[in-house]
Structures are given as structure tokens and as C-alpha cells.
Amino acid sequence: MINNKNVLAFIPVRGGSKSIPLKNIKPFCGKPLVCWNIEALEVCPLVDKIIVATDSDDIWNIVESRHYKKVILYRRSAENACDTASTESVMVEYINYAKLSQDNIFMLVQATSPLTEDKHFTEALQMYKNGEFDSILTCVHNYRFFWNRDGTPINYNYMSRPRRQNFSGMLMENGAFYINNVRNILKYGNRLSGSIGIYEMPEYTATEIDEPDDWSVLENLMRRHVLSKRLSNQKQIKLFLCDVDGTLTDGGMYYSETGDELKKFNTRDGMGFQLLREAGIKTGIITSENTNVVESRVKKLKIDYLYQGKRNGGKVAVALEICKELGITLQEVAYIGDDINCYDLLQSVGLAACPADAQPIVLEIPNIQILSRKGGEGCVREFIESIIK
């Protein structure tokens, strides 16, 4: 909220992209593309609601399954989801549908700019809060030389070619996000109006995802400029702990004709434990159940620790016991779990993750890594690879 006015972030995402089919939910650095902006907005303290406007059942289901706190899903009309429809048309459609107050602050956010971080949203909204501008757009500084088609230069004198360090360059719109209020959007039918301010973003955010080549370029930039900073802020992981039902398995209960309980494990998760072992990271299983099949799986995977019949607080006690033996702290522990009996330990460790279909109470844990895969479908391997990388 800014000056007692609600701040709405609006993310329009169509299902009909032709250059990259369903690009808005295609995995980008291990997470559906649209989720990067949603999760940055979720932790932005000035944003009250996030509206994801889509015509696609697939996009709707992916976003809904993650149980975000601030997100409202809106089914945009087919008319405003076609190739020729403007972004402004769906903005106005939603404003009229929701009967928004004209004083609401409306921030258009583009899912095709996944390198936008929560600090960018916060800083730009603080800039808007000062009241100097009616609307704001994001730009990056561009140091390229530009020419007109008639052979005349636009932004430099070719007879006196400047060095980069002496060249002021130009500001280029990067399309990451725009800030205005509902009153102005309805009056002018445009995302920008009145006195326009510019929030300058880092040069690496210049590219939007429009074509397949953009995808690989931005994934490399994401790893270098965004994810690397997050990893550098984390302590080195020395112990990896994991739940079983709903995490290593799909949570189903299977029985043979003789009444034996069976569990379905994922082979790729098993290989993940081998990768941890090769990286020198100790491994352990802490589960609420007590079954022979888990014991057999642990022996086959050569997992270092197995504790069965442990629930919630008991899991924390076990983790502390292992840490004491290894001479490490809980901040050097990674843990993945999916349900309320994992809650305390997930809140205690240095790095926590959960499957995409974890229980809502787990999905709401601050800073938890919500994986793109469900329990039993390779989510543990996904988490392991993020640690090793």
C-alpha cells in the first residue's frame, strides 16, 4: 500500500504464443516463467494484490497449484487474448470487471522479463510514492550507436567517435513493468500518461523473451546476475535431509495381494543422492512412517542416516543430533518436505524446499523453494541439482 492506496500488480499471460508455445509456463531456470515475477511481487512489501490474467487452463492450473498468498486469477476474454489485442485492452477489461477504485495504483508487469527482482518493484514504487510523476516506466542504459535509414547518426558524431566511458548513451525501454493509477488508465487508455518518470534498471535486464534464442540468453543472465547472488548469500550445504511420503513418493498407499505395503519411488531422485555423495554432502531420511520398504530403499541408495517414526518437533531433534555429530549447524542443512509434520524442520534449516503439490501451510513458509515438480515425480532431484549447481 502507498499513501493509503492499494497497489495492484497486473500480469497478463496468454496461452497462444506462437514463437514459444505456452512460454509463460515453460520451465525457466527450473521454474515456470511466470512464477519468477509472481514470487518477486509476493515478497515486495508495497504490493497488495497480484492479478494473473490468462485465457489458458494450463497457465491457470500451474499458478493455482502454487497457492500464492497475494494472487488472484482472472479469466481474460477471448477477444482480449488474441494476437491483435492490446495489453491495454485487457487492463481496462479487468479494471471494469473488478470495479476498481480510481485511486488504486496499477502496476503492469511483464512475465517475459523474469530478471526483475523484488527490490526493483520496491524502489520504483517508492519513486512513485514521492508524487513527482503521474506514471513510471522501466528503462536500461544503452551504449550503442544508432542511425537513421537515410545514413545520418542519431546519438553521436561519427567524425568524433566517443569512447564508451565518455559516451552518455540513451535510455531504452526494457518492458519490465509500468506504474500508473486506475483513473489515468481509464482516462487515456494507456499504461503511461501525464508526467512520466523513468526507473533505470541494470543493463542485463534489457532483453525480453520473445524468440527461442532469447530464452537461452536470459537463462545465462539469470544464473549470473540473480541466482548467483542468492547462492552466495547461503552457507555451504553439508547435510541433505529428506522426507519420504509425498516427497520421495507420490504419497499414494499401495498394497500387494498379500497385504504388503508398497511405495513408488523415482529413479531420478535416487541418482540425485549419488550426486550428493560424489559432492561430499552427507544425506539422511527422516520420516513419520516406519516401514521395511523405506529401510530397503535407504540401503540401496547408500544414504548415511535413517530415522523413522519421527514427527514435526521430533524431526528437528533428530536433525540437531546429526548436526552435533557432524560438527555443523542447521544453517548448513537442506531439507525437503511436503506436509505439516515437516513444518518445524523446514522453518529451521538453512535451505528449505517443497514439492509443487505440498500442503498450503508448507507453501506459505517464508523463503521456501517451491519446486516445479510434484512429490514422487523428481522434485528431490530438482532440489539436489539446485544445491550442487
Side-chain angles (χ1 to χ4, degrees):
M1 185 169 284
I2 292 179
N3 299 330
N4 295 318
K5 298 173 183 176
N6 286 326
V7 176
L8 282 68
F10 187 79
I11 309 178
V13 279
R14 295 192 306 123
S17 173
K18 293 180 178 178
S19 58
I20 308 174
L22 283 175
K23 70 179 177 182
N24 290 305
I25 52 172
K26 179 181 176 182
F28 178 88
C29 289
K31 188 181 299 183
L33 178 63
V34 68
C35 293
W36 289 101
N37 272 313
I38 292 175
E39 291 174 16
L41 290 163
E42 281 273 316
V43 297
C44 176
L46 298 178
V47 173
D48 298 293
K49 295 179 181 178
I50 306 164
I51 295 89
V52 178
T54 185
D55 62 320
S56 165
D57 289 339
D58 292 325
I59 295 174
W60 183 291
N61 292 336
I62 286 289
V63 175
E64 186 177 49
S65 70
R66 290 181 170 248
H67 303 281
Y68 293 116
K69 289 182 180 180
K70 299 180 183 179
V71 167
I72 297 171
L73 281 156
Y74 172 68
R75 181 75 66 176
R76 61 195 286 183
S77 68
E79 178 185 358
N80 285 326
C82 65
D83 292 340
T84 57
S86 68
T87 299
E88 274 78 3
S89 66
V90 71
M91 290 166 59
V92 172
E93 176 190 318
Y94 178 76
I95 288 171
N96 290 330
Y97 164 83
K99 296 181 174 60
L100 298 181
S101 166
Q102 295 204 356
D103 290 328
N104 282 348
I105 296 165
F106 198 94
M107 182 163 63
L108 169 64
V109 178
Q110 308 274 48
T112 48
S113 297
L115 276 67
T116 309
E117 299 179 70
D118 59 293
K119 69 175 182 178
H120 300 139
F121 293 124
T122 301
E123 290 172 358
L125 286 167
Q126 289 284 9
M127 179 180 169
Y128 186 79
K129 180 181 179 180
N130 294 334
E132 184 179 351
F133 303 106
D134 298 307
S135 58
I136 287 175
L137 79 156
T138 58
C139 291
V140 296
H141 227 108
N142 189 294
Y143 294 93
R144 297 286 185 177
F145 297 139
F146 292 94
W147 287 73
N148 292 305
R149 289 186 178 277
D150 64 2
T152 57
I154 294 175
N155 62 337
Y156 83 113
N157 180 358
Y158 69 89
M159 296 295 291
S160 180
R161 185 180 293 269
R163 297 184 304 166
R164 179 183 171 94
Q165 55 266 42
N166 298 327
F167 180 54
S168 60
M170 298 178 70
L171 287 171
M172 181 186 79
E173 187 173 340
N174 70 345
F177 61 95
Y178 306 81
I179 305 173
N180 206 329
N181 64 41
V182 170
R183 178 179 288 103
N184 287 339
I185 293 170
L186 291 176
K187 181 178 180 180
Y188 298 102
N190 199 292
R191 68 192 74 181
L192 296 170
S193 58
S195 174
I196 300 172
I198 294 173
Y199 173 71
E200 189 172 338
M201 292 181 65
E203 191 174 356
Y204 62 79
T205 66
T207 306
E208 295 179 79
I209 294 181
D210 289 319
E211 301 298 331
D213 285 347
D214 299 333
W215 200 276
S216 56
V217 170
L218 261 71
E219 280 196 315
N220 287 331
L221 290 172
M222 172 67 87
R223 293 188 182 102
R224 179 179 177 184
H225 294 285
V226 180
L227 298 182
S228 63
K229 288 187 294 185
R230 297 182 186 180
L231 290 173
S232 66
N233 290 332
Q234 295 173 357
K235 290 188 176 182
Q236 182 180 358
I237 297 301
K238 297 179 181 177
L239 172 64
F240 180 90
L241 298 176
C242 184
D243 181 39
V244 176
D245 291 320
T247 305
L248 277 172
T249 77
D250 59 5
M253 300 182 70
Y254 305 92
Y255 294 92
S256 69
E257 291 183 355
T258 58
D260 294 325
E261 183 178 341
L262 308 174
K263 294 183 184 293
K264 176 186 174 185
F265 293 93
N266 191 293
T267 302
R268 294 184 180 89
D269 289 340
M271 178 58 70
F273 282 95
Q274 180 177 326
L275 295 175
L276 288 170
R277 189 165 58 251
E278 292 172 354
I281 298 172
K282 294 290 186 179
T283 57
I285 297 292
I286 306 178
T287 176
S288 303
E289 300 298 322
N290 199 331
T291 61
N292 292 330
V293 68
V294 171
E295 185 175 352
S296 298
R297 184 66 174 162
V298 165
K299 287 181 180 179
K300 182 174 182 179
L301 297 180
K302 300 179 181 178
I303 293 172
D304 298 296
Y305 300 94
L306 170 62
Y307 289 83
Q308 299 199 74
K310 304 295 180 182
R311 296 181 177 274
N312 221 350
K315 291 191 174 189
V316 176
V318 166
L320 286 170
E321 181 181 327
I322 300 173
C323 286
K324 183 178 181 180
E325 178 183 330
L326 296 176
I328 63 175
T329 69
L330 282 175
Q331 289 302 302
E332 296 166 288
V333 177
Y335 177 62
I336 176 172
D338 73 303
D339 212 332
I340 191 169
N341 56 356
C342 305
Y343 187 83
D344 287 350
L345 186 52
L346 286 167
Q347 285 198 308
S348 303
V349 296
L351 188 60
C354 67
D357 59 342
Q359 288 300 298
I361 191 173
V362 171
L363 294 166
E364 293 173 1
I365 293 174
N367 300 318
I368 194 166
Q369 183 176 340
I370 303 172
L371 302 162
S372 65
R373 296 181 176 88
K374 297 180 180 180
E377 296 182 3
C379 64
V380 175
R381 175 67 173 273
E382 181 183 342
F383 186 35
I384 289 171
E385 288 186 344
S386 73
I387 294 171
I388 293 174
K389 286 179 181 178

